[in-house]
Amino acid sequence: MTILICGSLPTTSIMLFPGRSRKHILPEQVHILNVSFLVHRCGPEFGGCAGNIAYNLALLDGSPLPMATVGDDSQPYLEHLDRFKIDRRSCGRCRVTLTAQAFITTDLGRQSDHGLSSGARCRTRT
C-alpha cells in the first residue's frame, strides 16, 4: 500500500558545538544577544518531515510517496530518494529558487538554535 506523505524535504545542516552555550550567554545582556560558536561538526543532511518519514518507511519495506516542493539545487536530495527506491513523482521542482534549508546548532546540554529558510516550499511546482 502506498502512503502519501505531505511535508518538507529541506537540506539540513546540523552543527555540534562541543560546549554549553549557556556558559557564553550573559543573562543581563540577553536583549542584545549576538554569539558565534566554533562547531566541530557541520554537514548537509537530508531531512524534513516528508523526507524522514519516507526514508524510515522505505527501511521498513513500505511504499512511501512524499509530496513536497524542492528547488533548483535539489538533485542530491532526489538522488538520495532514488537510492532508497522512494517514489518521487509527487515532488514538484521549482527552478527559480533553492530548496528549503534548516540550520541547527546543538550543544552538549541539548540546547539548540534553529534557522530556517522556506525556499521552494512557498512556491508552486513547475
Side-chain angles (χ1 to χ4, degrees), residues 4 12 15 23-24 27 29 34-35 37 45 49-51 57 66 72 77 79 91 93 95 97 103-104 109 112 123 125:
L4 179 66
T12 305
M15 298 163 276
K23 292 184 177 181
H24 302 273
Q29 293 185 2
N34 186 1
V35 295
F37 299 112
E45 309 277 342
C49 293
L57 281 174
D72 193 45
Y77 204 140
E79 290 170 0
C91 293
R93 194 168 190 179
R95 298 194 180 275
T97 192
F103 300 91
I104 303 167
S112 61
R123 306 282 182 136
R125 61 190 268 175

Side-chain angles (χ1 to χ4, degrees), residues 46-47 51 55 74-86:
F46 302 116
Y55 170 77
S74 62
Q75 196 58 38
Y77 204 140
L78 298 176
E79 290 170 0
H80 169 73
L81 296 177
D82 292 344
R83 274 192 300 279
F84 290 92
K85 298 180 175 46
I86 296 172

Side-chain angles (χ1 to χ4, degrees), residues 66-70 88-95 120 122-126:
M67 181 178 190
T69 303
V70 295
R88 55 184 176 97
R89 68 183 157 186
S90 292
C91 293
R93 194 168 190 179
C94 182
R95 298 194 180 275
C122 294
R123 306 282 182 136
T124 57
R125 61 190 268 175
T126 57

